Amino acid sequence: MPVFVAVSLVSAAGAVGLLAGFAVAARPFVPLTRTTRGRWAWAGGVYAFGTAGTVGAAVLTSGPGGLDHGLLLYPWGGGCYALGAAFFLPGSRIRYGTLGVTAALAVGVGYASWAAAQPPTLDAWLTANGVDRALLRVGEAPTGYVLRVNGASESGFGADYERPGAAGLHLAVARPDQDTRRTDAHGCPVLPGVTVTCTDDDGGRELVAYDGFTAWRELRLRRGGLVHTVSLSDRPTDLTAARHLLSTLRPATNAELSPLCTRPMRH
């Protein structure tokens, strides 16, 4: 912190000294700069106003990933320093006009920053992330479960069905070509060190059991050019719930998809 303060003070002193040199050229227009003390006061005022405006704009336009549109700070900073210099021109009209422009710019930047901080609409989020609405399908939550949408992308959609004190279900919706795993002659996945068993579960469903370091199951349903996969535990009740979920598949509503708007969006 002492080093930071020292560097800031030296930088500010150098900038004010540079502006004091420019104040000599302003003597015909700014009576304040016709004395040595006045030139330093003019330089200090212009520097303080311009720096405050530039820093304020940088704070308001900064996002989670860093400064947004950083190149715009150069003309914005120049405009702030120009307004600071204009404030010292003689005449009350010029002074009031400068204050009015400053207030208008402050309100405009504040409103633009507030608008940018608002969550996007669902359509805007889906468009920005290249999500195909056809992937956004969910099933009715089984008794005791609560639906929670996880995320969506160009290649898939995911949602969890949670229940208190027990393992839940995970639904994944994707195109058939998204699964790049090697399969055997019957279309069953082949994983190193894992025994995979695929059985017909009626209704177009397929039950895939994985037995390796850990054991888990998937209930899959191919329909409408999509693969719906429900990951579940070994409990019989979970399989019943998964069957109910897949038998009630439908397009997700905007209300169910609203949590997506709080997730990162491409710019």
Side-chain angles (χ1 to χ4, degrees):
M1 182 58 70
V3 174
F4 173 77
V5 173
V7 171
S8 300
L9 291 176
V10 170
S11 300
V16 171
L18 184 63
L19 286 172
F22 286 118
V24 176
R27 282 185 297 182
F29 314 102
V30 185
L32 180 65
T33 60
R34 293 170 186 170
T35 64
T36 302
R37 180 178 296 178
R39 285 195 294 272
W40 284 103
W42 179 87
V46 172
Y47 176 79
F49 185 90
T51 302
T54 304
V55 171
V59 172
L60 290 175
T61 58
S62 61
L67 193 64
D68 295 334
H69 311 297
L71 291 178
L72 294 179
L73 282 182
Y74 291 100
W76 175 266
C80 290
Y81 285 105
L83 282 174
F87 182 78
F88 290 96
L89 291 172
S92 57
R93 290 185 179 180
I94 295 178
R95 191 161 299 174
Y96 288 137
T98 302
L99 290 175
V101 172
T102 302
L105 288 175
V107 171
V109 171
Y111 176 78
S113 301
W114 173 83
Q118 302 308 304
T121 63
L122 179 61
D123 288 337
W125 191 94
L126 295 176
T127 300
N129 288 278
V131 178
D132 183 357
R133 269 192 174 269
L135 295 171
L136 308 180
R137 298 180 59 81
V138 297
E140 295 296 335
T143 303
Y145 290 81
V146 176
L147 169 64
R148 181 173 64 87
V149 171
N150 270 342
S153 66
E154 297 174 346
S155 57
F157 168 71
D160 284 335
Y161 291 79
E162 302 173 339
R163 58 178 179 172
L169 308 174
H170 175 73
L171 169 67
V173 184
R175 303 285 182 190
D177 57 1
Q178 294 300 318
D179 190 353
T180 58
R181 296 178 298 181
R182 187 164 63 92
T183 59
D184 59 18
H186 303 286
C188 206
V190 177
L191 300 178
V194 178
T195 302
V196 184
T197 305
C198 297
T199 56
D200 182 18
D201 195 61
D202 294 331
R205 298 183 301 264
E206 181 182 35
L207 182 61
V208 185
Y210 300 86
D211 186 8
F213 181 75
T214 58
W216 74 99
R217 293 185 298 174
E218 293 177 349
L219 190 62
R220 299 193 301 192
L221 174 65
R222 297 175 182 268
R223 177 180 295 172
L226 300 174
V227 179
H228 309 80
T229 304
V230 179
S231 301
L232 61 150
S233 67
D234 288 332
R235 295 186 179 185
T237 54
D238 287 354
L239 181 56
T240 302
R243 288 169 177 161
H244 171 78
L245 193 161
L246 291 180
S247 66
T248 57
L249 287 171
R250 56 170 175 78
T253 65
N254 287 352
E256 292 167 335
L257 296 173
S258 59
L260 293 176
C261 297
T262 62
R263 298 187 175 276
M265 184 175 72
R266 297 177 189 170
H267 293 284

